[in-house]
């Protein structure tokens, strides 16, 4: 009864193409943004910031980047982890070379480096298709992680081979490094994620988004109606890697605090791919839903036995976690292969006609 | 000039100067190549019959080896535990078909691919839960596999062959021949190939999709067990072995996803070339450990010239 679209008439094309044609959607989003911007920062504990809120945002952004490539432009990628690494290392090099640099600028610039690498590894997509294309991104995945290990310049020849985030101030407030508080880190990540998401929503519903979708659905047909496949696929790689790179910089600078090369290995790529697929390919909101599920699941599974007073060895919990995550992935794929976003769309349709389904 | 000679001249000079070392490298490459081929074979069988890109093949290798060793540790005699492991692999094939594949028939490829990654995670958790997460030693001697070394004198030097590697090569050869006979001469094998050629036509002449899928996954399980024993005898048995699953991907791409001979040749080629590259170019010039990416870059370069792999079916696109 709350969710009624009746009576909301669109009297002009402009209104029809509006971002939120239905008033309730806009209200719901405002509510979520209000929660994220105002309520959570006051309510959340240190634990919640570090294990839930910041990771969810960072993973959502990474999945959003991957979704541009895989969900919108239809090019499978298994190298997301390495592209996140490129963003992180680029940001690290910029910050250590120019310590005065504003962190927002550094994070947003680091995406461009990842973008260049992404386009280079995306070039084969013009000839190689489907699962065979996975090899191009896998080559990127393994080659780049190897570079992070072997090229001393990237980690400033530190003994551990890892990168450490220094203390970074912005307008007199510590935003990254050991001194920064979780709340500032959270606001920083939230700001970037909000901005990038808004840009991506508009990009994917405009001309470029339609070009990508045409390429995804059938690239030969798209070429026949005059779409330049070279441009379409490479812009997809560039935009996707940009977003993934930015998320990688956030991943290290505002969440992990330090990173070793193997942090960016293939299991990170798969985690992001899970989020994108469970959330729903070709959906922006799905990334957030998927990230909430994948990030919160291990946390909940860790807390559950304690709640019921059952004593389980921590190793067993870890094994159970992997097992349950594996089964849940299969479970979600079976109940809704199109992801949580489609599930929400179904609920929405049901809500519109509830409580009189006929 | 000096730099160029380091790339183009020195390695070859080395090869000719120390032919015994060169042969040793070739042998090592051949052995790992054969194991890559075996994993890739499991992939190809499943891909041909169901168009599923089975990411779980590598984990099935580890799972089979772990079950074998785990059962033996519980006091089961070695050969009985081999038989029991086969039963477990059949149970696994049956369960996967029933629980995972049947509800997902007809979904896009990427969804099925994700489902096999789900299976991978499940098997990792399940295996560690039951048999423990610590590294195990393969029961090589109990299975009657010789563990000695052989010295072969060549070119004023010698190469040393491990007898378990020889056994692995022999076992792999037997398995491949057996598989080819099974696929070409038996009723079931022909049904598998028919399903690979044309799903609809195979269904219409009365081939049961479900039975064949269970069968194919079971055969992949047998291959996984053999690979697991061979690989476990070289390195220890733990889930760190899953890295070899990723190695099988470039092997497949290089050979072509549908081709059995492609899987074998691709595996051997990658095994040999990555060892040669690592020892003659990687370690002197690039700081080593190039084996992690060489196979992928090689496969990528080959695919640029042949997008369907060396022996894959030509991709015909229609609008």
């Amino acid at each position: 009864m709350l969710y009624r679209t009746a009576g909301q008439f669109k009297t002009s094309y402009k209104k029809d193409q509006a971002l939120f044609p239905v008033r309730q959607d806009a209200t719901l989003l405002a509510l979520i943004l209000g929660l994220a911007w105002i309520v959570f920062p006051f309510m959340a504990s240190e634990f919640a910031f570090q294990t839930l809120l910041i990771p969810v945002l960072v993973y959502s952004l990474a999945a959003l980047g991957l979704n541009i490539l895989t969900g919108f432009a239809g090019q499978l990628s298994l190298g997301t982890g390495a592209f996140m690494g490129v963003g992180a290392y680029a940001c690290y090099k910029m910050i250590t070379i120019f310590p005065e640099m504003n962190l927002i600028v550094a994070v947003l610039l680091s995406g461009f480096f990842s973008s260049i690498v992404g386009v280079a590894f995306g070039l084969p997509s013009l000839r190689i298709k489907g699962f065979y294309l996975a090899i191009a991104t896998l080559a990127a995945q393994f080659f780049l992680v190897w570079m992070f290990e072997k090229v001393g310049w990237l980690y400033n020849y530190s003994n551990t081979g890892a990168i450490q985030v220094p203390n970074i101030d912005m307008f007199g407030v510590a935003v990254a490094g050991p001194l920064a508080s979780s709340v500032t880190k959270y606001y920083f990540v939230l700001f970037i994620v909000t901005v990038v998401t808004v840009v991506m929503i508009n990009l994917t519903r405009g001309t470029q988004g339609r070009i990508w979708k045409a390429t995804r659905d059938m690239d030969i047909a798209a070429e026949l109606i005059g779409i330049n496949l070279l441009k379409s696929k490479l812009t997809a790689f560039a935009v996707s890697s940009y977003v993934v790179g930015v998320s990688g910089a956030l991943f290290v600078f505002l969440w992990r605090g330090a990173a070793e090369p193997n942090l960016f290995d293939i299991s990170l790529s798969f985690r992001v791919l899970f989020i994108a697929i469970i959330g729903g390919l070709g959906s922006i909101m799905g990334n957030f839903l998927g990230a909430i599920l994948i990030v919160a699941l291990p946390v909940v599974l860790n807390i559950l036995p304690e709640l019921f007073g059952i004593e389980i060895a921590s190793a067993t919990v870890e094994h159970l976690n992997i097992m349950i995550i594996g089964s849940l992935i299969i479970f979600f794929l079976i109940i809704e292969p199109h992801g949580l976003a489609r599930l929400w769309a179904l609920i929405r349709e049901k809500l519109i006609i509830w409580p009189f389904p006929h | 000039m000096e730099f160029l000679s380091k790339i183009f001249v020195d390695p070859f000079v080395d090869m000719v100067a120390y032919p015994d070392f060169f042969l040793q490298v070739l042998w090592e490459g051949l052995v790992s190549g054969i194991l890559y081929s075996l994993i890739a074979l499991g992939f190809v069988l499943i891909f041909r019959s169901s168009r599923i890109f089975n990411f779980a093949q590598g984990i099935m290798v580890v799972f089979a080896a772990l079950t074998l060793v785990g059962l033996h540790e519980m006091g089961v005699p070695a050969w009985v535990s081999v038989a029991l492991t086969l039963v477990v692999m059949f149970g696994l094939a049956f369960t996967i078909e029933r629980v995972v594949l049947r509800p997902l028939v007809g979904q896009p490829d990427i969804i099925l691919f994700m489902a096999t990654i789900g299976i991978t995670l499940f098997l990792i958790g399940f295996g560690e839960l039951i048999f423990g997460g610590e590294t195990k030693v393969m029961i090589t001697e109990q299975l009657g596999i010789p563990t000695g070394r052989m010295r072969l004198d060549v070119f004023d030097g010698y190469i040393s062959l491990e007898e378990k590697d020889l056994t692995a090569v022999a076992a792999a050869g037997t398995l491949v021949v057996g598989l080819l006979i099974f696929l070409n001469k038996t009723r079931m094998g022909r049904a598998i190939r028919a399903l690979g050629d044309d799903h609809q036509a195979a269904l219409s002449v009365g081939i049961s999709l479900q039975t064949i899928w269970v069968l194919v996954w079971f055969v992949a399980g047998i291959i996984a067990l053999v690979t697991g024993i061979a690989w476990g005898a070289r390195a220890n048995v733990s889930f760190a072995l899953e890295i070899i699953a990723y190695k099988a991907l470039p092997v497949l791409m290089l050979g072509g996803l549908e081709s059995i001979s492609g899987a074998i040749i691709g595996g051997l080629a990658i095994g040999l070339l990555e060892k040669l590259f690592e020892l003659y170019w990687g370690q002197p010039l690039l700081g080593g450990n190039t084996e992690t990416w060489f196979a992928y870059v090689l496969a990528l370069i080959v695919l640029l010239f042949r997008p369907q792999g060396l022996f894959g079916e030509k991709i015909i696109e229609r609008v």
Side-chain angles (χ1 to χ4, degrees):
Chain A
M1 256 191 273
L2 287 169
Y3 202 94
R4 279 280 179 278
T5 48
Q8 300 181 26
F9 300 114
K10 289 142 199 157
T11 44
S12 66
Y13 284 116
K14 207 171 175 186
K15 270 190 184 163
D16 198 35
Q17 292 173 341
L19 200 46
F20 301 104
V22 180
R23 200 184 321 118
Q24 284 88 342
D25 284 353
T27 327
L28 191 63
L29 186 78
L31 212 67
I32 293 171
L33 278 179
L35 275 177
W37 277 95
I38 301 158
V39 180
F40 285 160
F42 286 106
M43 308 267 295
S45 61
E46 193 69 14
F47 174 78
F49 275 124
Q50 286 301 321
T51 56
L52 289 173
L53 292 175
I54 298 179
V56 163
L57 289 173
V58 172
Y59 278 126
S60 307
L61 195 63
L64 173 62
L66 177 64
N67 224 326
I68 299 283
L69 188 63
T70 306
F72 285 93
Q75 312 296 312
L76 179 62
S77 165
L78 300 178
T80 322
F83 292 124
M84 285 173 80
V86 175
Y89 277 88
C91 193
Y92 177 71
K93 282 312 284 186
M94 279 191 289
I95 288 289
T96 45
I97 293 173
F98 311 105
E100 297 301 307
M101 200 169 194
N102 188 320
L103 189 61
I104 291 190
V105 178
V107 165
L108 291 180
L109 277 181
S110 56
F112 285 107
F113 291 89
S114 165
S115 201
I116 293 166
V117 179
V119 169
F121 281 98
L123 277 173
S125 70
L126 298 167
R127 241 177 105 69
I128 307 173
K129 285 169 192 170
F131 277 124
Y132 286 104
L133 180 62
I135 204 71
T137 49
L138 272 176
Q141 170 71 51
F142 287 97
F143 184 71
L144 291 171
V145 170
W146 178 82
M147 290 251 299
F148 299 152
E149 240 170 64
K150 294 286 172 193
V151 183
W153 180 78
L154 284 174
Y155 50 85
N156 287 348
Y157 304 99
S158 75
N159 293 326
T160 50
I163 52 175
Q164 280 285 343
V165 177
N167 282 310
I168 301 164
D169 283 8
M170 225 170 75
F171 314 118
V173 185
V175 286
L179 284 180
S181 71
S182 288
V183 185
T184 29
K185 285 185 189 172
Y186 171 75
Y187 270 119
F188 189 95
V189 177
L190 188 61
F191 171 72
I192 301 238
V193 172
T194 315
V195 170
V196 175
T197 309
V198 170
V199 174
M200 286 307 137
I201 289 175
N202 284 306
L203 199 61
T204 49
R205 70 196 197 106
T207 318
Q208 193 59 49
R210 283 162 193 239
I211 289 176
W212 285 336
K213 284 177 194 162
T215 315
R216 167 192 70 190
D217 290 342
M218 184 173 260
D219 58 356
I220 291 194
E223 199 174 12
L224 287 178
I225 57 168
I227 286 170
N228 184 343
L229 284 190
L230 175 78
K231 251 163 87 181
S232 156
K233 286 183 178 176
L234 289 188
T235 47
F237 269 97
V239 173
S240 154
S241 311
Y242 177 83
V243 177
V244 169
V246 168
S247 83
L250 294 178
F251 181 70
V252 171
F253 273 73
L254 293 133
W255 179 29
R256 285 307 180 104
E260 290 177 353
N262 60 13
L263 186 65
F264 302 105
D265 69 1
I266 192 159
S267 55
L268 179 64
S269 303
F270 279 128
R271 199 168 320 137
V272 177
L273 190 61
F274 282 147
I275 293 173
I277 291 189
I278 287 195
L281 286 176
S283 141
I284 302 266
M285 184 183 62
N287 302 308
F288 292 87
L289 298 177
I292 291 171
L293 184 77
I294 293 285
V295 171
L297 199 62
V299 179
V300 172
L301 287 178
N302 274 328
I303 295 174
L304 268 187
E306 280 172 34
L307 279 183
F308 292 107
I310 310 165
E311 287 277 332
I312 305 178
S314 63
T316 319
V317 172
E318 202 177 307
H319 301 156
L320 271 176
N321 269 348
I322 304 178
M323 221 172 109
I324 293 175
I325 290 176
S327 352
L328 272 180
I329 287 168
I330 298 171
F331 173 74
F332 275 110
L333 288 178
I334 291 173
I335 56 164
E336 187 48 76
H338 300 286
L340 297 172
R342 174 66 68 86
L343 221 51
W344 160 242
L346 290 177
I347 293 173
R348 197 170 154 257
E349 271 168 36
K350 288 244 160 59
L351 272 178
I352 289 175
I353 50 174
W354 186 86
F356 305 111
H358 296 292
Chain B
M1 264 326 277
E2 198 184 330
F3 180 68
L4 284 180
S5 105
K6 265 187 187 156
I7 298 176
F8 293 108
V9 182
D10 290 1
F12 297 104
V13 172
D14 271 2
M15 282 180 205
V16 179
Y18 305 102
D20 52 334
F21 180 68
F22 179 60
L23 283 179
Q24 181 76 42
V25 174
L26 281 187
W27 168 251
E28 300 282 328
L30 190 75
V31 174
S32 50
I34 281 175
L35 294 174
Y36 295 155
S37 303
L38 280 182
I39 302 175
L41 259 184
F43 265 106
V44 168
L45 273 182
I46 291 177
F47 189 82
R48 271 172 72 107
S49 63
S50 53
R51 298 277 133 186
I52 293 171
F53 194 88
N54 176 26
F55 191 76
Q57 184 67 31
I59 280 312
M60 280 164 69
V61 170
V62 187
F63 186 73
L66 204 63
T67 313
L68 179 65
V69 180
L71 284 173
H72 187 71
E73 276 178 2
M74 290 172 190
V76 184
W79 287 100
V80 180
S81 42
V82 171
L84 278 179
T85 310
L86 285 179
V87 174
V88 170
M89 294 318 278
F90 181 78
L92 184 69
F94 188 78
T95 320
I96 288 177
E97 197 276 326
R98 261 307 146 81
V99 178
V100 183
L101 301 184
R102 203 174 280 190
L104 286 174
V105 172
Q107 294 297 342
D109 294 345
I110 186 169
I111 301 293
L112 285 159
F113 171 62
M114 283 318 282
T116 63
I117 297 181
I119 297 173
T120 307
L121 287 182
F122 181 83
L123 284 182
I124 292 177
F126 187 65
E128 289 189 334
L129 194 68
I130 291 183
F131 301 111
E134 70 275 13
T135 313
K136 290 187 183 348
V137 181
M138 182 39 87
I139 44 169
T140 324
E141 280 157 28
Q142 291 88 329
L143 287 171
I145 299 171
T147 47
R149 280 177 169 278
M150 270 168 63
R151 245 180 91 123
L152 215 65
D153 291 310
V154 280
F155 303 114
D156 317 323
Y158 69 94
I159 52 176
S160 109
L161 311 176
E162 290 214 37
E163 282 174 5
K164 57 189 176 196
D165 288 351
L166 286 172
T167 322
V169 172
T174 324
L175 191 70
V176 169
V177 172
L179 204 63
L180 287 178
I181 293 174
F182 171 71
L183 286 176
N184 288 307
K185 300 290 176 198
T186 65
R187 222 179 137 76
M188 278 293 191
R190 272 191 288 228
I192 293 179
R193 289 195 302 141
L195 211 56
D197 282 348
D198 191 331
H199 252 116
Q200 296 294 328
L203 284 176
S204 66
V205 294
I207 293 170
S208 155
L209 195 67
Q210 274 92 18
T211 323
I212 295 296
W213 278 8
V214 173
L215 183 73
V216 164
W217 280 76
F218 179 50
V219 173
I222 297 175
I223 297 176
L225 178 61
V226 175
T227 325
I229 294 173
W231 203 285
R234 289 166 62 84
N236 290 329
V237 180
S238 77
F239 277 99
L241 275 183
E242 70 175 308
I243 194 76
I244 57 175
Y246 303 134
K247 260 320 157 39
L249 297 175
V251 169
L252 280 172
M253 308 283 180
L254 189 71
L257 286 173
E258 297 93 357
S259 161
I260 288 180
S261 49
I264 297 167
I265 294 170
L268 293 180
I270 284 189
L272 282 176
L273 290 175
E274 76 173 10
K275 273 279 181 330
L276 285 180
F277 184 81
E278 166 72 12
L279 283 165
Y280 287 102
W281 285 273
Q283 280 177 3
L285 298 174
L286 294 168
N289 212 5
T290 54
E291 277 168 337
T292 52
W293 54 264
F294 178 75
Y296 302 93
V297 176
L298 179 72
L300 180 59
I301 294 169
V302 171
L303 283 187
L304 282 180
F305 294 98
R306 275 185 73 85
Q308 71 276 32
L310 288 175
F311 301 92
E313 283 163 17
K314 186 144 183 58
I315 302 164
I316 300 164
E317 284 182 279
R318 296 190 184 86
V319 176

